[in-house]
Amino acid sequence: MGLFSKKEPQVPPPDPAYILAEAQEYLKEKDFKGALEKFDELCALPVQSPLPLLSRATCRLQLSQYEGVLEDCNKVLKFLNSDLTGHEEEGCTTVHSLALLRMAKAYKELGRLDEAKSALMRRNVVEHKLGRTTNDEGEDENVEEKQKAAEEWKEKGNKEFKNENWSAALDCYRNGLSYDMYSVKLHSNACMALINLKRWAQALKHAEQCIALEPNWVKGYYMKGRILSNESKLEQAQQVLQKAAQMEPRNKQIKGLLEEVNSRVEYVESRLRRRKPKEQQEKTAEDSGTEQAVEDVDSDEDYCQDGTCSPKTVKVRVTRKDIMNIIVDLCAAMVGVAMVWWFVRQEA
């Protein structure tokens, strides 16, 4: 029976070019929802190019699907970078730079401004390294010469750093940054020089620049955690160092600093726990008065037990109002004494 059975006709695979053409028609009509459905079909196929993902991210951005934008753009960044035409007006000449620009917009809409800033900075780095940024006159910058000068200043700074000339090293690193403001190494070295100079606020800015330029570089988080710890911003330091420990669980420096910060946080919390009951007790005493035990030595009724007698103890409640009344009475008495003394002096 199997010999005479009819084979079902195979459905031909969808033509990516045809789907892309349909998607482009939707885009011309600004029907982003329809275009998104077509790009979903394209991305469901074995993807050999980042362009369908990038196009879908653009549609999702228009439809306010910001988490989807981030997901697609992160996938795009896993492909090798390649040139891109048609987006020069946005300052993007490569696939990666456009993906990072889309990510920056999505982060901004989500209220994650630090990550938006980081994505924009990374986009600038991509274009800068390719020598496609321009100066105020519109002429191409000589990127190779600038990077060479920056590298020379970095080497000079490293020599000063080894000799523990922190200020001289910092000057060298800053000179290098004037040639290459996107150099992570220069920002990192400047940060370390400032840490040794105990100039925490300036060091923090360089550490944050490192994180913005290289979000997956653990040293930026370590430096930031170290700075925050020295500024006694322990909870913030704890959060940053925990993230660093997740990135490199076996890093002994990070582990040691995190343990130190955790111990300090625990100590502060224990102090606060001990202080809270005391403050609550004082507040209760102020609101309702305090009970003081006094011995009624003049009482004829003594407390006796097992043949032993002791003065009877009674509890007297002294409120804030009672204290104020006593103070007023004392003041009135003092005024009265002063007036009598004054009259006596006048008659004399």
Side-chain angles (χ1 to χ4, degrees), residues 258-268:
L258 180 57
E259 288 175 355
E260 178 188 332
V261 170
N262 287 339
S263 298
R264 291 172 65 190
V265 169
E266 187 177 349
Y267 172 75
V268 171

Side-chain angles (χ1 to χ4, degrees), residues 232-292:
S232 295
K233 297 177 180 178
L234 299 179
E235 291 185 358
Q236 295 179 45
Q238 194 177 43
Q239 292 174 359
V240 173
L241 291 169
Q242 284 173 349
K243 185 170 184 178
Q246 290 175 356
M247 296 170 69
E248 288 192 12
R250 296 183 180 180
N251 190 307
K252 293 182 179 180
Q253 280 185 309
I254 295 172
K255 187 177 179 181
L257 183 56
L258 180 57
E259 288 175 355
E260 178 188 332
V261 170
N262 287 339
S263 298
R264 291 172 65 190
V265 169
E266 187 177 349
Y267 172 75
V268 171
E269 289 178 347
S270 65
R271 289 285 301 272
L272 290 174
R273 283 194 298 268
R274 289 197 299 269
R275 186 184 301 172
K276 190 174 180 180
K278 183 178 180 181
E279 291 177 351
Q280 186 65 31
Q281 186 178 4
E282 291 175 354
K283 186 175 183 300
T284 304
E286 289 178 0
D287 294 339
S288 60
T290 57
E291 288 187 353
Q292 296 183 350

Side-chain angles (χ1 to χ4, degrees), residues 145-203:
E145 289 185 7
K146 288 180 177 291
Q147 289 180 343
K148 183 179 179 181
E151 186 66 23
E152 289 175 357
W153 278 112
K154 188 186 78 171
E155 294 301 324
K156 291 179 182 178
N158 290 346
K159 290 179 181 178
E160 298 291 349
F161 193 95
K162 288 179 181 177
N163 294 327
E164 298 185 0
N165 297 326
W166 315 123
S167 295
L170 178 61
D171 290 338
C172 292
Y173 296 139
R174 284 179 169 171
N175 287 334
L177 285 169
S178 68
Y179 289 99
D180 187 2
M181 63 182 293
Y182 299 116
S183 171
V184 180
K185 296 293 185 182
L186 282 170
H187 279 293
S188 171
N189 292 355
C191 180
M192 292 304 299
L194 287 163
I195 287 174
N196 283 290
L197 291 169
K198 302 187 187 308
R199 289 157 62 176
W200 310 119
Q202 294 178 40

Side-chain angles (χ1 to χ4, degrees), residues 336-348:
V337 170
M339 290 179 68
V340 170
W341 178 81
W342 184 80
F343 281 120
V344 170
R345 293 278 297 176
Q346 290 293 325
E347 291 177 0

Side-chain angles (χ1 to χ4, degrees), residues 24 49 52 81 89 101-102 133 214 266:
Q24 290 174 342
S49 168
N81 198 13
E89 71 280 359
L101 183 63
R102 296 285 183 265
T133 53
E214 292 289 347
E266 187 177 349

Side-chain angles (χ1 to χ4, degrees), residues 209-249:
Q209 285 286 84
C210 291
I211 294 172
L213 290 168
E214 292 289 347
N216 296 323
W217 193 40
V218 74
K219 188 175 180 180
Y221 299 95
Y222 169 76
M223 292 187 299
K224 184 176 180 179
R226 183 175 170 182
I227 294 162
L228 292 170
S229 174
N230 280 288
E231 289 188 307
S232 295
K233 297 177 180 178
L234 299 179
E235 291 185 358
Q236 295 179 45
Q238 194 177 43
Q239 292 174 359
V240 173
L241 291 169
Q242 284 173 349
K243 185 170 184 178
Q246 290 175 356
M247 296 170 69
E248 288 192 12

